[in-house]
Amino acid sequence: MEFIKELLQFLKARKKMWLMPLIVILLLLSALVVLSSSSALGPFIYSLF
Amino acid sequence: MKRRLFLFRVIAIAIPFGILLVLELALRLFNYGYDYRLFVEDKQNRDYWVMNQDASKKYFPDQTIATTGNKEPFKKEKNPNTIRIFVLGESTTIGYPYFHNGSFHRMLFYRLMHSMPDKNFEIVNVSLTAVNSYTILDFARQVVDQQPDAVLIFTGHNEYYGALGVGSTQQLGTSRGLVKTILYLRQLKITQLLTNAWLHLRSLGGKGNSEKKDRMELMAKDQNIAYVSAQFNAGVDQFQKNMEETLQLFQDHDVPVYLSTVVSNEKDLTPFVSEKPADNKQKNFDDAFHEGMNALTIGDLPQASINLKKADSIFSRSAICNYQLGRTFLQLGQTDSARAYFTKAVDLDMLRFRAPSAINKTIRLLSGKYHNTILVDAEAAFQHYAAHQVIGNDLILEHVHPNITGYALLSQSFYEAMKKKGFLKVQEGNEMSFDELIHRMPVTKPDSLAGYYKVFNLKRMWPFAARNPSKKDTLSVVSQEEQLAYAMAFDHKSWETTQSELYAYYISNSDSASAKKVIEGLLLEHPLDTELYEMAGNICGQLHDYKYALSYFKRSFQLQPSVSKAKTILVLLLQEDMPADAIPYIDYAIHNTTSGYDYTSLKKTTAAIVQLKTLADKTPGDFALLNNIATQYYTMGNKSCAEKYVKRVLQLAPSNKDALLLNTRLKQRG
């Protein structure tokens, strides 16, 4: 119990240590999503007419 | 204390990964997003797999442009007598603009069904429009687990503007590793969640289709890809590496691959975008080019070739100049030179909707590299068939998609390659010739017209025409067939609906031959529907096309045996003088009949005929045997076969008494 309490205190004090990787991973994923979602040209000419 | 601190740090670093893992598992648990597996269970028949209609969404995160593939069922457990073939590729491979039975694989299926009636074929086309070698590789990894006997591949036009092609992922550079990573990450539900959030945000801007088209045009303007530029080379390199990985995979699993060269319109399509010379060369080039064009217009071919060559020497990277040189040399009758110029024009065309020649070069190279990869040279077949041996409008509808004859030719190329390799063993006498295929293939008039209408509309738009084309629709839509084609082409009616309306129309007009094509087309679309085989068999019977009637009833019996079908088949077989083949069906009728009809005497007579025929084959001059066969057939009421044997005797011995007597009795019977 004391271990968990100490761990929570540790996490509270060092938010950057675990929040930063989470944010960085999500940002990287988002960047990939945005950059790779630029449309291919092929589908337009076949599906829109 | 130090140890505990270290442990805390490890836990802190692990937490973000833990959170992501929990999120991913939660999304999976609640079935968030799409399932991207290539094959899913067929909802209509749990023993079969079909292509997952969501599989394409992995390559087109924007759902508004995601294409869908065919739904061709194949058995989870492959039957021993089944030859299973998968087809991988792009829009040409799936038969754009006709789809359904206008595609080459259906023509192949139709031909094989009739040329090798004892085999069961499963030809599963998993092609999608606008995809490229990344999708081929991705699908290949799943196809290989489905016990394929062969794989047919036709691809290469979409390496630049297809999904994740070099021209479509400029912001990411041209790294193949990065694209593969993206494809891997797209399998994660978290990525789907982020993608959907992004698309939702983007849609708040509210972009309609017309705006999208403009956007595409603008996008394409920024995406002109010059010949042998870094991007050009990246496209070829991406194709080569993806195909190498694909072919290696199939080789490792001992699956033969039939890899086709690609075809495009060289003769009758002006390059979309031609590179312009530098300012200091522009005037001289323009002068020489325009003089050349003027000479070409008035038919002064020698002068045209001189001026156009001069323009080409000033600036050798003009696609349009090379194209006009091709036209000039074609008119001069110098086909080889013309073809070389046309090919160069395609290579230099900066709007890369047609594969450059480097793609076919790569395909030929790879076919020699992998021992189980067999080259299908569709390009050579098209050139051979085309007028002046240069591929043009006689085989291609617009830039890359073949017309019906072109698709038949493509199916012929694969068929011949498989036959040559010994993969297909066609019994002599059973084979459907190419001419027969062209004549018989079940592509209805509206199917063909619908393709024409789609392409007609396509050609009115960019990049085939000016930016703001006339909206006037000049299509002539008068007859019932034209109206159905129009409705089908522009999605006012589904293909299924138009086919059933077409069938009713043909039947009401007593046009059984056309109605037969509709039913044959429907059964290719639904190869497990036994009723369609029976309908096709009945119509073929009405048209006295007994060979095909037999073939359809046999297929129906294979799928769902019944005494009534066995009875129809055995009657047809006896009518066709094939008593040995009839015996298993008589046996089936004996063991399964509920009507009380006694088939044993029929079996006895049939077995006797089989025996007599065997003896007659050994002693062809024995008229008594032939007369005996005729008598047996006469006894069972098979007049046509009785006549056949009597005629044979009378041809060899016109005064043979027994034959004459039987002949009289046959005539009396009427």
Side-chain angles (χ1 to χ4, degrees), chain B residues 65-120:
Chain B
I65 59 163
T67 57
T68 50
N70 285 349
K71 274 178 106 173
E72 293 164 330
F74 62 98
K75 260 197 150 179
K76 285 179 180 173
E77 290 296 325
K78 190 169 82 173
N79 288 342
N81 195 36
T82 294
I83 295 180
R84 180 173 288 173
I85 300 169
F86 285 95
V87 184
L88 292 166
E90 53 202 36
S91 54
T92 299
T93 331
I94 199 175
Y96 179 92
Y98 309 103
F99 300 103
H100 306 283
N101 302 317
S103 94
F104 90 89
H105 83 290
R106 287 281 173 84
M107 296 181 189
L108 187 64
F109 182 42
Y110 182 72
R111 194 175 189 181
L112 293 177
M113 180 197 279
H114 294 294
S115 296
M116 297 173 70
D118 298 330
K119 286 279 175 195
N120 178 42

Side-chain angles (χ1 to χ4, degrees), chain B residues 270 289 293 296 308 319-329:
Chain B
T270 313
F289 180 72
M293 286 308 292
L296 184 60
L308 289 170
I320 188 70
C321 184
N322 276 276
Y323 176 73
Q324 298 301 352
L325 272 164
R327 284 183 63 214
T328 307
F329 277 87

Side-chain angles (χ1 to χ4, degrees), chain B residues 592-635:
Chain B
N592 295 282
T593 185
T594 50
S595 68
Y597 183 83
D598 183 16
Y599 287 91
T600 47
S601 62
L602 178 67
K603 188 182 175 183
K604 224 169 146 186
T605 315
T606 309
I609 294 172
V610 173
Q611 215 171 8
L612 289 166
K613 278 185 76 172
T614 314
L615 289 170
D617 284 345
K618 285 177 191 163
T619 50
D622 192 334
F623 301 136
L625 276 174
L626 296 176
N627 278 330
N628 202 348
I629 295 171
T631 309
Q632 296 287 352
Y633 271 132
Y634 180 79
T635 313

Side-chain angles (χ1 to χ4, degrees), chain B residues 3-4 6 30 75 113 181 227 260 299 329 373 377 402 419 475 532 534 539 572 596 600 604 643:
Chain B
R3 219 174 138 182
R4 181 165 284 202
F6 175 74
F30 292 104
K75 260 197 150 179
M113 180 197 279
T181 308
Y227 185 52
S260 175
F329 277 87
T373 299
D377 205 343
K419 221 177 88 175
L475 289 171
L532 288 171
E534 282 182 72
I539 296 189
L572 282 168
T600 47
K604 224 169 146 186
E643 275 173 350

Side-chain angles (χ1 to χ4, degrees), chain A residues 3 6-7 10-11 18 21-22 25 29 32-46 48-49, chain B residues 4 7-8 12 15-17 20 60 130 161-162 168 171-172 185-186 194-195 198 213 216 219 223 399 401 458:
Chain A
F3 177 82
E6 275 182 45
L7 177 65
F10 177 87
L11 292 175
W18 62 278
L22 186 67
I25 290 169
L29 264 180
L32 274 181
V33 162
V34 172
L35 292 176
S36 70
S37 69
S38 63
S39 303
L41 291 182
F44 282 96
I45 72 164
Y46 306 130
L48 288 183
F49 305 127
Chain B
R4 181 165 284 202
L7 192 62
F8 285 172
I15 280 177
F17 299 101
L20 291 173
F60 304 101
Y161 304 132
S168 310
Q171 292 150 301
L172 290 167
L185 289 173
R186 278 187 186 169
L194 289 170
T195 306
W198 160 244
K213 269 190 263 180
M216 170 182 69
M219 227 161 77
Q223 289 183 336
H399 58 317
H401 302 107
L458 180 76

Side-chain angles (χ1 to χ4, degrees), chain B residues 34-38 52 54-55 57-58 186-187 192:
Chain B
Y34 295 103
D35 174 3
Y36 290 150
R37 282 176 303 154
L38 179 57
N52 179 6
D54 289 331
K57 293 184 171 93
K58 182 175 174 188
R186 278 187 186 169
Q187 293 177 149
Q192 285 195 47

